[in-house]
Amino acid sequence: MSDKYRDLLEQYDVKVISTFRSRGTFQCETDQGLALLKEYHSSLRKLAMEYEWKEKLAEAGFSLTDRYFLSREDSLVVYDRYHTPFVLKHYFSGRECDLGNPADVYAACQNLGLMHRISSGIPEIPFENPRTESLSHLFERRNQELRTIRRFIGKSHKKKAFELAYMKYFSVFYAEAEHALSTLRALGEDSLAPSSGVRHGAYQHHNILILPGGSVATVGFESICYGPYLMDFYLFLRKAMEKNHYDWRLFERGLAGYAQQLPLNDRDLLFLYLLFLYPEKFWKVSNQYFNRRKSWISPKMLEKLERIPAQNKERQNFLEHFSRYLLK
């Protein structure tokens, strides 16, 4: 172990038994279990909020999270000699959730349902003025961003391969985006009213660890926010669907896992359907392009864009199946 990491760890009241590197992280076995030492790049206020919420979750029975150690000085961060902040987290020896494994998808969604159920029962939340963006405003904002990107590319005289492909596909996906918004407006957003509270914010397979005994640990709470719980559920399911050709059977396993802890009503399912109705993959690639330098566009960006039409055919089949499911 280098002097740098030794000096950092000595600021905590833990006994380090062994240390090792794993995928760019510095992990250590301690007398309090596995721990992860890493640089911290966000605000201390956000860190305090995350710490408070995970402690509340643990008190309420949801304890398998990457809770923070406090230093000997009762601080959430320690500093190296260059004043770089570091945090020490509890961690777990497990594997990432396999989105192609129905058992993993079920377990991950059951775990999410449990977290949301427990979260909804905690009266004091670490947000002073909790607000959430309405779904109609989210769709409107994204559609405005798509129009802005379309105008920007349209004014370019020397279009690159990505930009030529983007212009080719834009009208189809923008029509889908407008259809999602008009469908939402026709249904009446007030009639949906999904339950909201403190949610994970980035509940995806990288932040879900399947432990040797089959239990699930939840990590990566840096994007914690206030909003509809189903946004967490949608993020996880969308990732799983995209990576598995929108396999309906896998989707049903996810629904069953979540409902085992937190039953879904017809309005919840309709809210999920509307989220899937929006062409988010196209918007995400558009947003990534617009927020990066345009002088050189990564070939991977073009690959992502070129894959979307084929994925969209699978997505449309999935949406047809979903709409029939809603009518049962």
Side-chain angles (χ1 to χ4, degrees), residues 12 73-74 87 106 112 121 124-125 152 185 208 222 232 250 254 260 300 305:
Y12 293 94
E73 303 297 324
D74 286 331
V87 292
Y106 182 92
L112 180 62
E124 295 182 1
I125 62 174
F152 176 83
R185 285 172 171 165
I208 305 162
E222 290 84 358
D232 277 343
L250 201 63
Q260 202 275 335
K300 285 190 175 181
L305 180 62

Side-chain angles (χ1 to χ4, degrees), residues 27 99 115 130 164 195 247 256 288:
Q27 297 186 24
L99 292 180
M115 181 169 66
L164 290 169
S195 297
D247 185 341
Q288 288 169 5

Side-chain angles (χ1 to χ4, degrees), residues 16-33:
V16 177
I17 300 168
S18 62
T19 62
F20 56 95
R21 288 187 175 275
S22 175
R23 297 176 65 177
T25 66
F26 187 82
Q27 297 186 24
C28 46
E29 191 66 48
T30 77
D31 58 342
Q32 298 181 44

